[in-house]
Amino acid sequence: MLILLYLSFLTCLTGAIEKNKLSEKIYISLEGSSVCYLRLNRENTYGCKGAESAVGVLFYMDNAARQQWFKNNARQGPYTLLINPTKNFPFTKELMLEIRQYINDKKVNSLLVTYFGNSTVEQFSPESTCPNHKYDLYSNDDSYKDCLDYNWNVQGTNWLNEYFEIPILALYKADQVEKLIDICWKKRNEPKNDQPPQSPLCAVEIKSQMRGAVNAEVCLRRTGKTTNLNGESKELCTIIGARTIISSYPGPLLQEDKVILVLAQYLTLTMFETLAPGANNPLSGMITLLAVAKALKTSEKELQTHGRSIVFMLFGGETLDYLSSTKLVFDMKNKNFFIDKKQIELIVELSQLAGSKDQIYMHTNKINSSVAISQANEKITQKFTEYSKNIAFKEAKNNILPPASLQSFLKWFEVPGVVLADHNTEFINKFYNSRYDTLLDELRDLPFNTSFVNKSFPLAKKISEIAETITQTIYSLATNKTKTVNVDEIYVSNLLFCLLKNNSCDLLREIIPTDFNLTAGYGDKPTWTRDWHLSVQQSLSRKISTEQLVLSLMANATGIFSHNVTEKQCNSYNTGNKTGLWVNGFEIDKSVGMCIISAIRHHSGLSPGYDPSSIFYNYLSHKDLFYLQPQPTRFLIMAIRSGLRVHG
Amino acid sequence: MTIKEFFGCAFLAFGPAVSLFIFVVGREPIRVILFIASSFFWLIALLISSLLWFAVVPLREKLAFGLVFSVLFQEASRLAYYKLVQKAENGLQKMMQDGQAGADEDSKQIKFIKNHHLMALVCGLAFGMTSGAFALVNILSASVGPGTVGIHGDSDHFFITSSLLTFAFVMLNTFWQVISYAALDKKSYWQVGVVVIFHLLASCLTLLNNRDPPIYAATITPAYVLLIISGIWAFVVAGGSLSGIKAFCGF
């Protein structure tokens, strides 16, 4: 018996070895792909359908002539299209419409898109021309809904809100794409003299199975089911969401304390899960907010004597129909939040701020607002103009608000509020919510391997100046006094470098919890930073959680390093509204760790519509959760007899 | 296309062997028992070969080393099985007689045990089919697709060559069993030696497939020449003759 067992073990072993060797003759596996996920909500499916195994003949499309050839002569399908978008051959809506036709005809069964940074394209945004318009302040207003007068995001293709019935992957490693083109396209599949290539052709197999389907309700129902087939109930879908990170000076200590809210966002949503640099939108706003928070640190006492609090909020889930702010407003309505609506005196939101050269536009809502609010808004915008220096703060021409979390608050109650952005009536950012929104051109002078940036550069200078104006205005609005504040330009430089270029740097290392892993980037991508992609709400104890990083950044910006506190004391620190966060600290050689004491807190950003019995019903809330990394793509030669698969 | 390739290769390699099994072996339970026992002996040879390969670490990468010893172990197990069957012959006969009350000397089973050539055929087929299965099963599973060999410019004859070789080895093993059992019966040991040399020759020639680029013709041609020689030899050993064929065909 033992011998038999050993024998079967040995045969398995030898079998595995031989098969590997053989599969090397058949397949090449490619690295560096990022998959487009499915997203489900109550009614619909968005994103890309997965496939257990989609096999298609490779066709490389990088110019219009090939596109034409493919349209007229390609009959050896189904195909996998490899598209290389360039300035001369942009990935336009028209091209996608053509591909959709191919998908319907079953001529194309998967799509690969290259991604080599934003030097290759001029503009691209998969977001709609009017982001989040279904759930914004004006959705019930016939004359303003759906951005009738304004198209914020002119180049928007709206693909983020569409459903594709094929797997779509982005390939971001140049050498791998080159290998594929060399071996697969040039040697085999490229039509020579306009003649179709001879069999055998080279095909691509994509494995990216997603287990959820139909819509959120169906997916959740299936998750709970135990069937004969799966044996145990498995999680098919997990809810999308991200925590709202909050901090304050000094925090509303009394019921009658007035509050100024400063808002920004920290996550974006792109077509591909791991390719979300989110530089201008939303990180430029977040970095400015952190700079403002840091500059106001010394003013805590004055604020307290004036009975004012400044509360900073960073929202995660805003790209999906204002998920986080809606949740916050919902909780505020139900008295589940530490601030009451009556306390809010003013809301300042920092939107995209890195795009313009020397001006910032102030957007206020002018539709259906009362005289008192209009006057208050005017007073605020005047204050901003008053404190502006080299960078002019101008009033925007539009009378509706651009996409902003402020809209969620205004939907519920009237409050003075201003959105600061680099654009007037349409975005300056040509890459809104896309994988190209990197701002790397602005950072090109900074060497990649720096751990500390000790000099300023134009973008940092600009952000610092904007932050300075904002800080002084907010201080003045809160206390009616003027005070010169200095924004730490080196801090801003380092923030920009760490968050947009290389996140393994001193600043971040100092402020993260001791067990946190910074090197969670993906090598060979155009940037080596975290992915600022809105997905499933992660546990904060996860060592690579982006939410934890933002929490640390906020704690560092609004808190103080305390030297004489042990780890135990730090973790149980709770005085007033301040808590401790145990981090690496800057005395890194001693490897002891330090405690940051600040007023940080976080608020769940999960949709209130998650509970099916809830009355609060119409929210985008779920996501398919085949959350294992999809299997790597394999490429292979496949023998196809021409004529066997002709369509039409 | 790859599915067709799979079935083509599978039938090419195992078609004749399976028909032999159905028409010769499968009819009598005693033959099936001997068949299974014989394939177990081939497996023991494989076990010993792999143990040796496993133990001699420095030579693991050298295919020729493992191959030569594997051939020798296979031949040894062929002889061991002969010894076993010889010892068991009387017992088997008895069993047959006990099983069929009043069975006479001429009953089918008894005839079978007395007909050493037929028994050798059954045992050789088992040897061949087991070795063939082990040689081809991984290749067959890869041939299902969706891809086929050739992305790096390898010859697309890989699968058909493998199947042809497997077929040749299944039949060669059958013939060699017939030859060597007859030789052992007659105690004419040089014939056994020739079989071992034939086996070594055919196996070592497959090493040419390991070259880059592989020379498939150089492997297949001698393997089939050996197959024809061994086939005729086995036919003669088993008492066949040209006039026999003529009589069979009705000339």
Side-chain angles (χ1 to χ4, degrees):
Chain A
M1 197 61 212
L2 263 177
I3 293 173
L4 271 176
L5 265 177
Y6 183 60
L7 189 77
S8 51
F9 167 73
L10 268 182
T11 48
C12 288
L13 197 77
T14 47
I17 292 167
E18 208 168 293
K19 189 158 184 204
N20 280 343
K21 276 197 172 163
L22 181 55
S23 71
E24 275 170 26
K25 285 181 192 283
I26 307 178
Y27 306 106
I28 311 169
S29 42
L30 259 84
E31 293 161 7
S33 60
S34 174
V35 72
C36 159
Y37 275 83
L38 263 189
R39 231 166 46 241
L40 308 169
N41 75 352
R42 286 216 178 269
E43 293 91 28
N44 271 315
T45 315
Y46 304 94
C48 309
K49 192 178 174 181
E52 209 174 323
S53 163
V55 179
V57 176
L58 183 81
F59 192 91
Y60 179 50
M61 204 182 263
D62 66 341
N63 58 48
R66 290 245 176 86
Q67 188 187 346
Q68 200 58 37
W69 194 93
F70 186 78
K71 190 175 185 179
N72 298 329
N73 303 323
R75 308 242 186 289
Q76 293 161 308
Y79 284 93
T80 294
L81 281 182
L82 170 63
I83 294 186
N84 184 17
T86 54
K87 279 174 186 156
N88 300 324
F89 186 68
F91 203 149
T92 57
K93 266 180 135 166
E94 290 71 39
L95 177 55
M96 191 54 115
L97 275 179
E98 211 175 302
I99 292 172
R100 277 200 179 277
Q101 190 56 48
Y102 298 144
I103 296 170
N104 286 339
D105 296 345
K106 307 257 186 282
K107 187 172 171 179
V108 164
N109 70 2
S110 49
L111 185 60
L112 302 171
V113 189
T114 60
Y115 170 56
F116 307 128
N118 59 356
S119 54
T120 55
V121 291
E122 264 159 5
Q123 55 177 52
F124 176 75
S125 171
E127 186 53 273
S128 90
T129 50
C130 185
N132 287 356
H133 65 90
K134 275 188 200 152
Y135 294 93
D136 70 7
L137 179 58
Y138 314 103
S139 53
N140 296 324
D141 190 326
D142 281 341
S143 39
Y144 291 100
K145 71 173 181 192
D146 304 341
C147 297
L148 285 177
D149 292 341
Y150 301 96
N151 274 330
W152 299 110
N153 187 26
V154 186
Q155 46 278 327
T157 57
N158 201 32
W159 296 340
L160 265 183
N161 306 310
E162 291 177 6
Y163 174 54
F164 298 92
E165 279 183 322
I166 52 167
I168 301 181
L169 272 77
L171 302 177
Y172 56 81
K173 283 192 177 173
D175 61 323
Q176 300 286 311
V177 175
E178 216 168 281
K179 186 161 103 182
L180 178 63
I181 290 173
D182 271 355
I183 294 178
C184 219
W185 173 251
K186 286 187 181 156
K187 280 194 193 149
R188 299 269 174 186
N189 292 5
E190 189 171 13
K192 305 261 157 63
N193 308 322
D194 267 6
Q195 290 304 307
Q198 296 289 311
S199 177
L201 299 175
C202 187
V204 174
E205 183 185 32
I206 290 170
K207 295 183 168 189
S208 65
Q209 200 182 6
M210 317 241 171
R211 294 194 296 180
V214 192
N215 62 33
E217 231 157 319
V218 172
C219 197
L220 283 177
R221 196 177 64 220
R222 285 180 185 164
T223 297
K225 281 262 163 69
T226 305
T227 65
N228 289 338
L229 291 175
N230 61 16
E232 57 193 294
S233 70
K234 282 183 187 137
E235 198 166 55
L236 300 180
C237 303
T238 304
I239 185 165
I240 295 182
R243 288 174 185 78
T244 305
I245 311 291
I246 303 164
S247 190
S248 56
Y249 296 131
L253 302 173
L254 303 166
Q255 282 292 313
E256 58 268 23
D257 276 359
K258 290 286 181 192
V259 167
I260 295 175
L261 290 183
V262 184
L263 318 177
Q265 303 172 11
Y266 69 91
L267 288 179
T268 175
L269 192 70
T270 67
M271 289 285 282
F272 302 104
E273 177 82 5
T274 56
L275 302 173
N280 197 356
N281 177 55
L283 292 184
S284 63
M286 175 178 107
I287 290 168
T288 316
L289 181 137
L290 292 172
V292 170
K294 200 166 187 215
L296 279 170
K297 201 183 284 185
T298 51
S299 315
E300 199 164 344
K301 282 259 161 59
E302 292 114 288
L303 290 167
Q304 205 170 340
T305 51
H306 282 82
R308 291 291 199 292
S309 270
I310 298 175
V311 176
F312 301 96
M313 289 184 187
L314 286 171
F315 291 114
E318 297 297 90
T319 28
L320 279 185
D321 298 345
Y322 305 124
L323 196 60
S324 297
S325 57
T326 307
K327 160 76 170 168
L328 194 113
V329 167
F330 179 78
D331 286 343
M332 215 187 258
K333 257 186 206 169
N334 294 322
K335 310 275 180 217
N336 285 332
F337 194 63
F338 73 112
I339 300 169
D340 191 67
K341 112 182 183 190
K342 279 184 226 126
Q343 290 176 277
I344 301 175
E345 197 177 39
L346 159 68
I347 299 175
V348 178
E349 174 154 2
L350 312 183
S351 181
Q352 314 174 62
L353 291 169
S356 76
K357 234 182 195 157
D358 49 8
Q359 50 212 10
I360 290 298
Y361 290 93
M362 297 173 283
H363 301 260
T364 51
N365 174 39
K366 303 186 185 87
I367 308 299
N368 299 333
S369 56
S370 67
V371 182
I373 296 291
S374 297
Q375 279 170 352
N377 280 341
E378 209 161 303
K379 202 181 126 202
I380 295 158
T381 52
Q382 271 168 12
K383 268 265 182 343
F384 273 107
T385 321
E386 191 183 314
Y387 285 107
S388 64
K389 280 180 232 154
N390 297 330
I391 292 176
F393 278 62
K394 294 181 181 168
E395 217 164 314
K397 287 200 185 107
N398 41 291
N399 47 13
I400 66 170
L401 285 174
S405 314
L406 175 59
Q407 299 198 15
S408 300
F409 291 87
L410 293 183
K411 263 167 112 171
W412 179 32
F413 65 98
E414 271 209 301
V415 63
V418 55
V419 177
L420 303 175
D422 58 9
H423 59 83
N424 197 351
T425 53
E426 69 184 52
F427 291 164
I428 286 181
N429 187 359
K430 297 273 182 251
F431 307 112
Y432 188 81
N433 280 358
S434 81
R435 60 190 181 278
Y436 298 107
D437 187 4
T438 62
L439 284 180
L440 278 182
D441 280 348
E442 311 266 355
L443 299 168
R444 63 176 171 269
D445 293 337
L446 301 178
F448 179 79
N449 281 329
T450 328
S451 59
F452 181 74
V453 184
N454 52 12
K455 62 176 181 16
S456 184
F457 52 95
L459 181 62
K461 207 169 157 59
K462 187 164 74 187
I463 296 280
S464 306
E465 268 186 42
I466 296 167
E468 213 163 282
T469 307
I470 296 168
T471 314
Q472 288 185 330
T473 312
I474 287 174
Y475 182 84
S476 161
L477 287 167
T479 63
N480 279 321
K481 281 189 275 185
T482 301
K483 179 182 176 188
T484 28
V485 282
N486 282 315
V487 169
D488 186 351
E489 233 174 283
I490 296 298
Y491 174 67
V492 175
S493 306
N494 277 291
L495 273 181
L496 286 165
F497 175 75
C498 295
L499 299 182
L500 306 185
K501 197 153 182 175
N502 182 1
N503 74 48
S504 128
C505 69
D506 285 353
L507 173 67
L508 296 193
R509 202 175 303 120
E510 280 164 20
I511 60 158
I512 50 171
T514 39
D515 58 351
F516 194 88
N517 180 15
L518 263 187
T519 52
Y522 298 81
D524 292 351
K525 270 195 313 189
T527 56
W528 213 39
T529 69
R530 198 151 294 281
D531 288 305
W532 301 91
H533 194 278
L534 169 60
S535 65
V536 175
Q537 179 160 313
Q538 298 159 341
S539 140
L540 279 183
S541 61
R542 244 187 80 167
K543 290 183 178 116
I544 53 162
S545 151
T546 302
E547 292 165 46
Q548 175 64 61
L549 182 71
V550 174
L551 193 81
S552 289
L553 281 166
M554 188 70 120
N556 175 49
T558 60
I560 43 164
F561 275 106
S562 176
H563 289 267
N564 307 322
V565 180
T566 64
E567 182 170 359
K568 211 173 174 187
Q569 287 170 320
C570 183
N571 288 332
S572 56
Y573 190 94
N574 196 352
T575 317
N577 55 9
K578 308 241 160 156
T579 50
L581 179 69
W582 188 251
V583 299
N584 282 328
F586 41 81
E587 289 167 15
I588 208 135
D589 330 325
K590 294 182 192 165
S591 68
V592 277
M594 288 173 101
C595 190
I596 303 182
I597 291 170
S598 67
I600 44 160
R601 55 173 82 207
H602 53 82
H603 190 78
S604 162
L606 296 187
S607 163
Y610 182 53
D611 177 10
S613 61
S614 162
I615 34 156
F616 207 67
Y617 204 68
N618 48 358
Y619 287 94
L620 270 178
S621 49
H622 311 101
K623 160 168 190 172
D624 163 86
L625 229 241
F626 158 61
Y627 218 65
L628 306 162
Q629 201 66 24
Q631 290 191 44
T633 346
R634 295 200 301 169
F635 297 87
L636 51 122
I637 293 228
M638 187 177 160
I640 294 176
R641 278 187 186 160
S642 48
L644 264 182
R645 299 196 180 191
V646 173
H647 298 279
Chain B
M1 184 67 196
T2 45
I3 298 291
K4 289 179 196 165
E5 198 169 27
F6 167 78
F7 280 112
C9 289
F11 290 150
L12 184 57
F14 296 113
V18 169
S19 7
L20 267 177
F21 182 86
I22 292 169
F23 292 112
V24 178
V25 182
R27 295 189 162 181
E28 305 292 338
I30 183 76
R31 296 184 195 176
V32 176
I33 293 170
L34 282 171
F35 182 92
I36 299 294
S38 176
S39 55
F40 178 71
F41 265 71
W42 186 86
L43 287 175
I44 288 174
L46 177 71
L47 172 69
I48 297 167
S49 312
S50 43
L51 279 176
L52 183 78
W53 174 84
F54 197 70
V56 187
V57 178
L59 289 175
R60 261 187 211 179
E61 296 297 311
K62 299 261 183 267
L63 260 181
F65 165 77
L67 183 133
V68 168
F69 275 92
S70 177
V71 168
L72 295 179
F73 289 138
Q74 281 178 49
E75 290 303 326
S77 78
R78 204 197 298 278
L79 302 186
Y81 191 57
Y82 174 81
K83 276 276 168 212
L84 183 84
V85 173
Q86 208 180 29
K87 287 224 166 102
E89 201 177 332
N90 288 332
L92 282 171
Q93 248 179 56
K94 221 175 212 159
M95 191 173 82
M96 290 303 123
Q97 280 162 342
D98 288 351
Q100 289 177 310
D104 52 49
E105 286 275 304
D106 293 332
S107 86
K108 255 185 181 175
Q109 278 96 347
I110 308 295
K111 251 189 193 167
F112 168 66
I113 289 164
K114 293 213 159 156
N115 184 348
H116 281 200
H117 299 309
L118 188 56
M119 202 177 67
L121 174 79
V122 169
C123 302
L125 191 65
F127 244 63
M129 280 180 85
T130 321
S131 77
F134 271 79
L136 202 64
V137 76
N138 288 316
I139 293 167
L140 277 182
S141 80
S143 77
V144 181
T148 190
V149 166
I151 192 136
H152 297 296
D154 295 312
S155 164
D156 50 0
H157 295 138
F158 177 82
F159 287 127
I160 188 137
T161 310
S162 303
S163 321
L164 282 171
L165 267 180
T166 306
F167 165 69
F169 270 90
V170 173
M171 295 330 284
L172 275 171
N173 265 306
T174 316
F175 296 151
W176 290 335
Q177 197 97 343
V178 173
I179 295 166
S180 50
Y181 279 22
L184 286 168
D185 278 347
K186 282 183 260 167
K187 300 207 183 335
S188 129
Y189 295 115
W190 66 272
Q191 291 188 13
V192 181
V194 173
V195 165
V196 175
I197 289 165
F198 272 18
H199 196 168
L200 274 172
L201 185 67
S203 296
C204 288
L205 277 169
T206 60
L207 285 173
L208 289 173
N209 290 342
N210 210 30
R211 287 166 58 122
D212 194 25
I215 316 164
Y216 290 143
T219 316
I220 292 187
T221 324
Y224 274 80
V225 170
L226 277 177
L227 181 66
I228 291 164
I229 295 173
S230 309
I232 294 170
W233 188 2
F235 182 68
V236 173
V237 158
S241 63
L242 205 60
S243 52
I245 294 177
K246 276 184 185 163
F248 183 76
C249 297
F251 288 118

